[in-house]
Amino acid sequence: MSEEVLQQAAPGLVPGSGTARAAKPTRLSPSFISWLQAGPMMLVFLAFFLIPLVFVVIVSFWDYNEYQLLPAFSGRGYTDTFEGCIAQLPDLCTIGKTYVKTLKLCFMVWAITLFIGFWVAYFLAFHVKSKTWQMGLSLLCTIPFWTSNVIRMIAWIPLLGRNGLVNSGLVKTGLVNHPVEWLLFSEFSVVLALVHLFTFFMVVPIFNSMIRIDKSLIEAAYDAGATGFQTLVNVIIPLAKPGIVIGSIFVITIVMGDFITIGVMGGQQIAAAGKIIETRVNALQFPAAAANAVILLVITFLIITMMSRIVDIKKEL
Amino acid sequence: MKEGRPRSFYVLAIFFAAYVLFLYGPMIAIYVLSFQGPQGGLTFPMNGVSTFWIAKLFKGTGIVDLGAAFRRSLLLGIIVMIVTVVLSVAAGMAFRRKFKAQSILFYSAIASLIVPSIITSLGISLEFRIIDDLIKAHWNENFETSMGLLTSGLGAHLTWTLPFGLLIMFAIFNRFDPRLEEAARDLGATPWQTFRHVVLPIILPSVIGIGLFGFTLSWDELARSSQAIGAVNTLPLDLQGLTTTVTNPDIYALGTVISAVSFTVIALALGTIAMLNKRQAAKGSDAGQGLV
């Protein structure tokens, strides 16, 4: 503090002293400058993320009719969602089945993207030696991420459709008599498209943690007589864990909330957590949509908490 | 260490090549298919070669008003890009020293990235509906809506682009040498001069990267726009609408046009980054220039 006062009193006497950033005295305190710099972004998140989340929770307890929101406390959004769940026991009700299906899709996509993402990142980090090649090949994997998801989804139609390349190939080689129907607008095509779209979110964080691994650790393991597999399990995987967890969190949250890929690639036939919200919004049942959003948020949050428990992400970071 | 390349190199190289083929193969298929003749269908083999379907899009006689949606998406993308660059660079600078609410901003950004888009989108739409109701009740009964491309739509896109911008800024300042600023300060530069003439030129290539992210993420954004954008559609929303009724290759043509814009922006940005890096390498050092 006294340094700042001195600086203001006699500019130039204490150049670059202490934590004060300014060489010349300014009337702005460092903390005020920080607010000025970070404030606008904070305001955007406040106005378009935090307050909207609060509204989702509030509106989930409002009442509704066919035309409008009724700002009065009601549990209808939730009771409508869980309608018949107790009566149907031990069978799963609609919402229960939908969540089981969503979790199943989520698990499959997670397992596949993790497998592909891990080996792609491993190849880039450990086998590609030249920095230029490393950058070029990473860029090659990144570019599709920058183009429209819908285009990347419909790109499967000419391949998987009834008269698509795969089917005509199968029919021509005589493997099947009729075109295979389950290739498109099915769970298979949903998983395929999700893997196609989101493996990127696994590759990048895993690559980032692998690239930071000290190569001498691997040489040390090698010198100590470890096999390649032992090095992988005992050295590389533990050190790449933060990246694996971050990538997994991205993929899982995206798939849990997805309604576009599941809609387009499932031929609008597959129920999923995100699609319930979309359907409710389209029917203008906002409190019910909000109630489902809260449920989805809680479940997603639980999964993330569980994952960060398993690997103790705080210790890793 | 071992000499030569281990067997695992070749296995993984093939795996990597297969992954790249998986990434690009289907996309290339639709780019090719969009250049079919007027009788073309949705699948191979191609039925003639022409630019019929792409021309049809630009004539505006197709299923969507491509021109209007194109202009809206472009306008939104450019504004999102500018706002993302300015706010990310400013916030990135703030994070270089401790300040109150630092962790709140950091966790907001991370949460904004991982909370499912449909929830953010629904929340923004509810927020604007409530604002509309308030305006109707208290000020103007005939008020239509405050939702729109540059209000709720812009906000929705920023919740997606700003976290990426901030994370890139962290990466930049992780490898930034603060001694360069100290040197500038010792030479009597004001904080603004230090930023303008020392910091900015060094971080500029990465800042262009943030702009690239901002534009292309907004240009292709769908999930957050879906509920939050109001009455008008952006290109990706029109495209999604087409997927349920599609029978003609015009959807591929639209896809090809959207991708062409994305790839042009990526190429322009990467070219600029390469140019700036070259310039920095050429002019950034005065080694061997003599004393005067």
Side-chain angles (χ1 to χ4, degrees):
Chain A
M1 197 61 206
S2 62
E3 269 175 1
E4 255 170 71
V5 173
L6 191 58
Q7 262 199 337
Q8 291 200 354
L13 265 184
V14 262
S17 58
T19 50
R21 292 225 153 248
K24 281 190 185 173
T26 51
R27 281 173 210 291
L28 306 175
S29 71
S31 78
F32 183 77
I33 295 172
S34 297
W35 278 107
L36 222 54
Q37 288 172 331
M41 188 183 276
M42 196 64 234
L43 280 180
V44 172
F45 284 128
L46 192 68
F48 296 105
F49 178 63
L50 298 172
I51 294 177
L53 276 189
V54 173
F55 275 125
V56 167
V57 177
I58 294 174
V59 170
S60 77
F61 289 105
W62 281 7
D63 203 358
Y64 59 100
N65 61 27
E66 283 125 85
Y67 312 104
Q68 56 187 341
L69 284 167
L70 305 173
F73 180 83
S74 157
R76 214 185 126 192
Y78 292 92
T79 49
D80 278 9
T81 302
F82 289 106
E83 207 182 340
C85 277
I86 295 170
Q88 279 179 353
L89 282 173
D91 286 336
L92 279 173
C93 50
T94 319
I95 178 107
K97 278 184 200 151
T98 308
Y99 267 95
V100 169
K101 169 147 289 178
T102 312
L103 287 170
K104 189 182 130 197
L105 286 175
C106 200
F107 179 79
M108 287 198 285
V109 173
W110 172 74
I112 301 171
T113 51
L114 178 59
F115 179 81
I116 301 177
F118 183 86
W119 288 113
V120 165
Y122 184 93
F123 175 74
L124 289 175
F126 294 118
H127 280 315
V128 180
K129 300 277 193 263
S130 117
K131 278 265 172 270
T132 320
W133 271 97
Q134 218 169 38
M135 244 171 72
L137 292 178
S138 328
L139 203 62
L140 197 66
C141 299
T142 313
I143 284 172
F145 164 75
W146 270 317
T147 62
S148 171
N149 282 0
V150 184
I151 296 164
R152 295 175 64 197
M153 284 176 224
I154 59 169
W156 287 104
I157 296 175
L159 297 178
L160 301 180
R162 208 170 180 285
N163 304 308
L165 274 187
V166 175
N167 262 329
S168 52
L170 285 175
V171 172
K172 259 185 206 143
T173 52
L175 282 173
V176 291
N177 295 328
H178 302 286
V180 185
E181 298 284 352
W182 54 262
L183 282 177
L184 195 60
F185 304 138
S186 60
E187 264 180 59
F188 169 79
S189 58
V190 169
V191 172
L192 185 72
L194 287 169
V195 169
H196 189 226
L197 291 173
F198 301 124
T199 305
F200 168 81
F201 283 101
M202 277 292 189
V203 175
V204 172
I206 298 178
F207 175 75
N208 272 337
S209 25
M210 279 181 176
I211 203 85
R212 284 199 211 124
I213 297 175
D214 191 343
K215 297 284 182 296
S216 55
L217 290 175
I218 295 163
E219 269 182 59
Y222 181 75
D223 289 344
T227 63
F229 182 74
Q230 283 170 328
T231 313
L232 182 73
V233 172
N234 297 316
V235 181
I236 294 172
I237 291 181
L239 289 172
K241 242 182 200 170
I244 293 173
V245 173
I246 291 168
S248 303
I249 287 175
F250 274 129
V251 169
I252 288 170
T253 50
I254 288 173
V255 178
M256 281 304 286
D258 178 87
F259 61 101
I260 292 165
T261 318
I262 291 175
V264 171
M265 295 308 285
Q268 309 294 341
Q269 297 299 313
I270 294 176
K275 276 212 72 83
I276 306 180
I277 302 175
E278 195 206 10
T279 313
R280 293 287 191 172
V281 170
N282 291 343
L284 298 180
Q285 299 168 333
F286 290 104
N292 277 289
V294 171
I295 298 166
L296 174 62
L297 200 58
V298 169
I299 292 179
T300 314
F301 181 75
L302 284 179
I303 297 176
I304 294 176
T305 320
M306 240 161 56
M307 293 208 43
S308 41
R309 229 1 105 72
I310 291 170
V311 295
D312 196 3
I313 195 171
K314 271 197 191 113
K315 208 181 99 196
E316 298 286 349
L317 286 175
Chain B
M1 269 308 265
K2 287 171 280 187
E3 291 296 317
R5 282 175 169 156
R7 194 158 19 107
S8 62
F9 172 85
Y10 297 99
V11 176
L12 284 178
I14 292 168
F15 185 80
F16 182 81
Y19 173 67
V20 171
L21 186 70
F22 169 68
L23 270 187
Y24 285 88
M27 286 161 68
I28 291 168
I30 66 156
Y31 301 149
V32 172
L33 282 174
S34 63
F35 289 98
Q36 293 193 91
Q39 305 300 319
L42 284 177
T43 51
F44 285 104
M46 282 179 79
N47 212 331
V49 177
S50 75
T51 52
F52 175 83
W53 297 102
I54 290 174
K56 193 177 158 206
L57 279 182
F58 282 103
K59 268 186 240 149
T61 51
I63 356 193
V64 292
D65 185 356
L66 177 83
F70 192 91
R71 279 192 297 276
R72 278 196 292 270
S73 278
L74 200 63
L75 175 75
L76 185 59
I78 290 171
I79 293 176
V80 169
M81 175 180 81
I82 295 168
V83 176
T84 306
V85 166
V86 173
L87 297 197
S88 304
V89 171
M93 293 292 289
F95 268 91
R96 300 180 67 200
R97 58 174 168 253
K98 288 226 179 315
F99 65 99
K100 277 180 202 160
Q102 191 164 31
S103 58
I104 297 178
L105 180 55
F106 176 72
Y107 284 115
S108 300
I110 298 298
S112 179
L113 203 58
I114 62 178
V115 162
S117 296
I118 178 94
I119 297 176
T120 310
S121 187
L122 173 67
I124 294 173
S125 113
L126 291 175
E127 180 186 46
F128 276 80
R129 249 161 237 281
I130 289 164
I131 293 173
D132 289 350
D133 285 348
L134 283 177
I135 294 176
K136 275 180 209 160
H138 296 288
W139 289 287
N140 181 357
E141 278 176 36
N142 300 321
F143 185 78
E144 284 286 333
T145 178
S146 51
M147 275 178 108
L149 196 68
L150 296 182
T151 53
S152 52
L154 175 63
H157 281 208
L158 288 176
T159 61
W160 180 228
T161 58
L162 287 179
F164 282 103
L166 190 63
L167 291 179
I168 298 176
M169 285 307 293
F170 288 167
I172 295 172
F173 282 128
N174 262 341
R175 41 166 213 257
F176 187 87
D177 188 348
R179 284 177 303 181
L180 295 165
E181 282 167 291
E182 275 166 37
R185 223 161 37 225
D186 290 348
L187 291 170
T190 63
W192 174 249
Q193 284 172 328
T194 309
F195 177 76
R196 169 71 189 77
H197 297 290
V198 178
V199 179
L200 191 61
I202 295 172
I203 66 170
L204 197 57
S206 314
V207 170
I208 289 172
I210 295 176
L212 169 65
F213 257 94
F215 180 85
T216 45
L217 289 180
S218 162
W219 175 255
D220 293 323
E221 213 294 321
L222 187 54
R224 278 164 209 244
S225 314
S226 63
Q227 317 298 335
I229 207 128
V232 295
N233 274 354
T234 56
L235 267 188
L237 280 164
D238 275 335
L239 189 65
Q240 192 213 358
L242 284 181
T243 56
T244 47
T245 53
V246 59
T247 48
N248 287 326
D250 34 11
I251 189 167
Y252 298 155
L254 185 54
T256 304
V257 170
I258 298 178
S259 295
V261 173
S262 301
F263 287 138
T264 309
V265 172
I266 296 173
L268 277 178
L270 293 180
T272 317
I273 291 171
M275 201 191 77
L276 286 170
N277 279 336
K278 216 169 163 186
R279 217 178 96 102
Q280 229 172 57
K283 295 195 176 173
S285 162
D286 56 2
Q289 304 280 317
L291 277 175
V292 186

